[in-house]
Amino acid sequence: MCELFAYSSRVPARVRFAFREFARHGGPHAANPDGWGAAYYEGSDAHVLREAQPALASAFVPVLEKHDFHSPLVIAHIRRASRGPVTLVNTQPFARELFGKRHVFAHNGDLPDIEQALPLAHAAHRPMGQTDSEHAFYVLMQSLQVLDAAGESGDLKRRIEAVSDFAAKLRTLGAANFLFTDGDLLFAHAHRRRSHPGNTWVPGLHLLMREAASEHQMRASGLHVQGRDDKPAPAVMLASVPLTPEDWEPLPENTLLVVQQGRLIARLGA
């Protein structure tokens, strides 16, 4: 299955992925994924880097692993294709502009028949690819556009309700773990995923919260987080599977978290 990761803090950190290793967290068959991508926010925009090929075969991955981006908000995705060909247009995370901000979405799961169950209402914005994940992203974007038309896009409560309603609809269709952000708020929805080995249902996301300290560092197989030592701040990390021996919390099914600058500001669901 696909792998998700997110990092949020008030202070920018250097988050580097060794995608060859990171892909292996998904199980013995995930080391050769069908694409990878990461979004590094800088203000209201983001560097969105994607490639529709295995990390093992990529000449760009070694360059990315040595990058010097410092970002307060990062989302990453490793793809194992279930719908749509292995092409750039089907590679996550997806990014689109809305309300003058870069919105980013990444999904882990399978949503059969989403096109029929949740048809898109407007012709102005259509998916470019063939995945259920991108279609789901546009369903959410159109929900947010409805809020804007009603003058409620700036209302935090209404935004949370819109994302919560969207998550509830996805859960009726299939596995619906996702990360979504507008560069300010990070939404993380935990549903369920297939385990490796065993093929049983297990928690879809895990949470690690760190309080402010003199230094934020994390080294794991496939991941290195290096904070700025002179500006300590709380940090939140989310991942499909725990990445370190620390006490990651397995999120119950149907949990929606809302994170802002490394702090958990809302928790809905189970």
Side-chain angles (χ1 to χ4, degrees):
M1 235 187 189
C2 305
E3 295 298 302
L4 298 173
F5 173 81
Y7 172 88
S8 172
S9 180
R10 178 178 54 82
V11 176
R14 187 181 185 188
V15 181
R16 291 182 293 170
F17 296 94
F19 279 100
R20 296 174 178 85
E21 293 296 325
F22 188 67
R24 292 189 173 94
H25 295 142
H29 304 294
N32 198 38
D34 299 311
W36 56 268
Y40 301 83
Y41 267 86
E42 186 175 322
S44 59
D45 205 347
H47 302 273
V48 183
L49 311 170
R50 303 177 299 152
E51 200 171 30
Q53 65 171 311
L56 289 171
S58 172
F60 183 58
V61 162
V63 177
L64 180 61
E65 290 172 1
K66 298 177 182 179
H67 76 83
D68 199 32
F69 295 139
H70 282 79
S71 175
L73 180 57
V74 178
I75 286 179
H77 182 271
I78 296 282
R79 185 185 185 209
R80 187 160 184 81
S82 59
R83 289 186 60 183
V86 179
T87 57
L88 179 63
V89 75
N90 289 326
T91 305
Q92 302 187 50
F94 301 115
R96 302 288 184 268
E97 180 277 333
L98 186 65
F99 312 140
K101 295 181 179 181
R102 183 73 62 197
H103 290 61
V104 172
F105 180 86
H107 165 245
N108 171 336
D110 191 23
L111 304 168
D113 303 319
I114 186 173
E115 292 88 351
Q116 291 73 37
L118 300 174
L120 297 174
H122 308 297
H125 300 288
R126 292 290 179 184
M128 295 188 293
Q130 298 79 38
T131 65
D132 50 349
S133 302
E134 189 186 13
H135 186 97
F137 182 28
Y138 274 95
V139 171
L140 175 56
M141 295 282 273
Q142 290 192 358
S143 296
L144 296 177
Q145 287 178 310
V146 170
L147 288 186
D148 186 60
E152 298 176 328
S153 60
D155 187 316
L156 176 60
K157 181 180 178 181
R158 292 290 294 121
R159 288 163 69 191
I160 293 174
E161 287 175 351
V163 179
S164 179
D165 290 346
F166 163 75
K169 291 175 182 177
L170 291 196
R171 293 195 298 265
T172 67
L173 303 176
N177 309 289
F178 67 79
L179 301 168
F180 169 67
T181 182
D182 61 1
D184 176 28
L185 299 178
L186 169 65
F187 294 88
H189 179 249
H191 193 206
R192 57 186 183 176
R193 58 181 271 140
R194 293 287 187 182
S195 65
H196 297 282
N199 206 31
T200 58
W201 289 112
V202 295
L205 277 177
H206 293 75
L207 167 70
L208 180 66
M209 294 191 294
R210 288 181 168 181
E211 293 302 319
S214 59
E215 181 176 314
H216 271 314
Q217 272 202 75
M218 183 173 77
R219 289 185 179 273
S221 177
L223 180 69
H224 179 208
V225 178
Q226 175 67 61
R228 292 180 176 174
D229 300 348
D230 59 334
K231 296 181 178 179
V236 165
M237 281 171 271
L238 293 139
S240 297
V241 297
L243 302 177
T244 66
E246 297 171 86
D247 191 17
W248 291 72
E249 177 191 354
L251 295 173
E253 280 191 28
N254 311 338
T255 299
L256 178 67
L257 304 182
V258 186
V259 179
Q260 186 177 46
Q261 297 186 352
R263 293 191 180 278
L264 186 61
I265 64 171
R267 180 171 183 148
L268 291 75

